[in-house]
Amino acid sequence: MNIYLVGGAVRDRILNITSKDNDWVVVGATPEELIDAGYKQVGADFPVFLHPKTQEEYALARTERKSGHGYQGFSVDFGKNVTLEEDLIRRDLTINAMAQDENGNIIDPFNGQQDIQNKILRHVSHAFCEDPLRVLRVARFAARFHHLGFRIADETISLMQHISASGELKHLTAERVWVETQRALHEKSPWVYFDTLKKCQGLKDTFTELDELFGIPQPEKHHPEIDTGLHSLLSLEQASLLSHEGDVRFAALMHDLGKGKTNPEKWPQHIAHETLGLKPIKAMCKRLRVPNAYKELTLKTCEYHTHIHRAFELKASTILKVLKQCDAIRKPERFAKLLLACEADAHGRTGLENTPYPQAPFMQRMLDACNQVNNQDIVATGVTGPELGQAIEQARLKAIAKQKELEKQSS
């Protein structure tokens, strides 16, 4: 029995990056031998074991052969005679197909170290095409390592395009698509994930509603980049500078889906795109089983981002209406995220990335003014029933109007 550290842990050591997890491969052993040694089996599709002390994952060396559609359409052999190289060749990228033995020696049969040096993301073998999930995984690694200067090899992009053209992406489960996407949203450069999917024609079978935005024009006066799809990616890029939260980044990316539903005869105008976008957002989130926190923030951002952009033009009554409909008083943390997504939208325009966005702190101050109203003081006056709610609303309206006047005087 021989045990090797494999995959991302080896890659990250070479890159001098702290790795979260260690993965190990066991060569020349059977499940029974590991169980007898105190390991606990947890793998359902193939034997994966937890170390009795460290609880790290140890997998038997295995080979895979395509036997069906999608991510799970494989037959697996984890026999005692499977070699380390046979295990490594089934992996996605050369930088993930290295191993390290107990003496610290690197086993690198597919030149992963050279590709790290050259900053190339390259597939290991043609077996790459057998697993459609690898299109999303490579796009995620592109997002992770973009800031280090990594790029995807041309021949790997070609294989990703081949997988997309085959229709195999349609067989991926919603859970797998979302797991990769959520991870990508938390990477250093999340927009690269979606840009890569677009370049390999994989966006249309995963995020159809977003794919439809590319090629749709916007008024050049407000959007020098013109293309709505490009604006969406730029908004995500800006969101990643403002927040590490995945839901903020997702909301910024998807806030303009309604522009894919406006009448082409009206282009480049997009009247009522705020409400037109609600239906495709709901459809996408349902199809991909997007968490409610992501969905609700995206819906609110879609519907109210133009209200926030025009905050200084709004009457006190309209501001209160927006705060209520965004549920800002009950959910101030989510409203703060909405303001970040709106700021990302405003900055996600070519040449306007550093434009001040005073609307966000202004709307936050309006909310703060609302929250200064003491409901118990109003209750103490003896008002009850429907009149109580009306009295609270009038007090909030008065507080917003007073704050607006103070800001007008100080400007």
Side-chain angles (χ1 to χ4, degrees), residues 124-279:
V124 176
S125 71
H126 199 74
F128 178 91
C129 293
E130 296 181 348
D131 185 357
L133 186 66
R134 289 177 171 176
V135 172
L136 277 65
R137 279 180 53 82
V138 173
R140 176 165 62 83
F141 281 116
R144 177 179 297 182
F145 295 125
H146 173 76
H147 71 288
L148 297 178
F150 277 77
R151 67 175 182 85
I152 303 172
D154 292 341
E155 59 269 31
T156 303
I157 283 284
S158 295
L159 287 185
M160 293 165 71
Q161 292 171 339
H162 172 76
I163 294 171
S164 298
S166 73
E168 277 284 310
L169 292 178
K170 296 177 182 177
H171 295 283
L172 291 176
T173 65
E175 290 83 359
R176 293 308 306 172
V177 173
W178 181 250
V179 164
E180 291 299 325
T181 299
Q182 191 167 26
R183 288 176 180 171
L185 285 168
H186 287 90
E187 299 291 4
K188 185 86 171 180
S189 308
W191 66 93
V192 174
Y193 173 79
F194 296 94
D195 186 45
T196 300
L197 291 180
K198 179 62 180 174
K199 288 177 178 176
C200 71
Q201 289 95 53
L203 197 62
K204 63 180 181 296
D205 284 339
T206 51
F207 291 91
T208 310
E209 297 82 0
L210 179 63
D211 185 67
E212 291 174 350
L213 297 184
F214 288 88
I216 294 179
Q218 303 168 106
E220 186 174 3
K221 176 183 177 181
H222 302 295
H223 288 276
E225 72 286 348
I226 300 177
D227 188 281
T228 305
L230 176 58
H231 165 61
S232 298
L233 296 184
L234 291 173
S235 296
L236 174 56
E237 180 176 359
Q238 291 300 314
S240 69
L241 299 176
L242 294 170
S243 173
H244 295 291
E245 299 288 342
D247 53 355
V248 174
R249 296 177 173 192
F250 189 71
L253 175 66
M254 302 297 182
H255 76 280
D256 263 350
L257 290 191
K259 291 180 179 179
K261 302 302 178 183
T262 53
N263 189 334
E265 294 180 359
K266 303 293 184 180
W267 290 351
Q269 300 298 323
H270 295 280
I271 298 171
H273 73 278
E274 302 90 344
T275 51
L276 287 173
L278 301 180
K279 185 175 180 180

Side-chain angles (χ1 to χ4, degrees), residues 72-127:
Q72 295 180 319
F74 291 89
S75 57
V76 180
D77 175 17
F78 45 87
K80 196 170 183 176
N81 295 325
V82 176
T83 67
L84 176 63
E85 184 167 332
E86 286 175 326
D87 180 273
L88 294 176
I89 199 172
R90 67 176 178 77
R91 296 173 183 264
D92 48 14
L93 298 171
T94 60
I95 67 169
N96 297 331
M98 296 178 287
Q100 182 176 315
D101 66 18
E102 59 184 5
N103 297 316
N105 299 311
I106 301 295
I107 297 92
D108 181 17
F110 308 107
N111 301 315
Q113 293 174 96
Q114 182 178 336
D115 281 341
I116 286 178
Q117 184 177 353
N118 295 330
K119 299 183 177 180
I120 295 291
L121 302 176
R122 189 192 317 277
H123 64 283
V124 176
S125 71
H126 199 74

